[in-house]
Amino acid sequence: KKSNDDIYAWIYTPNTNVDYPIVQSSVYESDTLYLDHNIDKKPDIAGAIFSERANRKDFSDPVTVIYGHNMKNGTMFADLNKYKDKEFYESHKEVQFDTLTEEGTYKVVYAFVTEVNKKDSFKYYEKINWNSKDEFNEYVSNLEQRKLYDTGEKIKKKDKLLTLSTCEKASDNSRMVVVCKKKQNQ
């Protein structure tokens, strides 16, 4: 935090390469800064793990969307693509997401591959809150239609969610997405 005020959380998934600080650009018009800059704000093709300014750093939004590159060397969010395999999920059901004031364990609920930037695509990255029960139900319906397998977990409107997103190599518009909910006892 002392080295970069944009750092506001940490994400960790045991027995994977996911173990990074999370940043959000403090510069109003720079949601894409960390696409090609590291946590020291230096140019870096790997970028950093980040959220956009639409999400509040205090996690008062029902959904926080976190982005990271799928690097060929297995770093950043490359391991999210392993969630295509239910066996991988079975041994990696939880994600640790901590802030300066709170520790949080999240359970993986959905894993899916989707296309973005196409007409009628599921815009999971735009859903950070619910304006109505119908809007929430539509979101869940989209998740259910796209899930790669059943985790046995479900989400409720009151749950705090993390949506983890990275590129998936099928096409330039393909994304691997993992949706997690905060464990109830926290």
Side-chain angles (χ1 to χ4, degrees):
K1 184 75 177 159
K2 286 180 184 177
S3 66
N4 181 349
D5 250 5
D6 288 348
I7 297 171
Y8 71 100
W10 196 279
I11 190 165
Y12 169 71
T13 303
N15 302 310
T16 72
N17 288 325
V18 178
D19 189 4
Y20 296 102
I22 298 173
V23 290
Q24 184 180 89
S25 178
S26 54
V27 179
Y28 179 68
E29 295 164 350
S30 291
D31 267 343
T32 60
L33 173 69
Y34 289 108
L35 272 174
D36 58 6
H37 286 73
N38 62 29
I39 61 166
D40 296 319
K41 295 185 181 180
K42 294 185 175 156
D44 187 333
I45 194 166
I49 305 300
F50 70 98
S51 65
E52 293 181 332
R53 292 179 53 82
N55 272 123
R56 296 181 203 127
K57 287 184 181 181
D58 68 0
F59 301 100
S60 57
D61 299 311
V63 182
T64 299
V65 183
I66 308 293
Y67 302 92
H69 285 302
N70 175 8
M71 301 304 291
K72 288 180 183 176
N73 66 3
T75 60
M76 306 313 282
F77 267 5
D79 280 351
L80 290 185
N81 279 285
K82 293 178 179 178
Y83 279 100
K84 290 177 194 171
D85 181 3
K86 189 171 183 184
E87 285 184 36
F88 179 82
Y89 157 76
E90 292 293 345
S91 59
H92 299 86
K93 292 182 178 184
E94 294 184 347
V95 173
Q96 190 68 31
F97 186 80
D98 301 330
T99 68
L100 293 173
T101 59
E102 182 180 1
E103 292 182 358
T105 302
Y106 288 71
K107 295 164 122 182
V108 173
V109 182
Y110 295 101
F112 62 95
V113 176
T114 191
E115 295 286 317
V116 296
N117 303 324
K118 289 189 172 185
K119 186 180 179 184
D120 300 327
S121 65
F122 175 39
K123 295 177 176 54
Y124 66 90
Y125 45 86
E126 291 181 354
K127 293 298 174 196
I128 61 172
N129 57 40
W130 322 117
N131 294 318
S132 69
K133 185 168 177 80
D134 287 344
E135 192 175 298
F136 172 77
N137 290 338
E138 181 181 346
Y139 175 78
V140 172
S141 176
N142 272 295
L143 294 173
E144 283 289 325
Q145 289 171 32
R146 287 165 176 76
K147 70 183 177 186
L148 295 171
Y149 45 81
D150 189 1
T151 64
E153 298 288 338
K154 300 293 179 204
I155 59 174
K156 298 176 186 154
K157 192 173 181 225
K158 65 179 182 163
D159 285 329
K160 286 285 191 186
L161 305 178
L162 279 181
T163 299
L164 311 177
S165 177
T166 194
C167 292
E168 195 273 339
K169 298 301 180 185
S171 76
D172 289 343
N173 290 320
S174 187
R175 300 293 182 271
M176 180 68 207
V177 183
V178 178
V179 178
C180 313
K181 72 175 179 179
K182 191 170 188 181
K183 286 178 83 170
Q184 292 290 339
N185 60 352
Q186 297 180 332

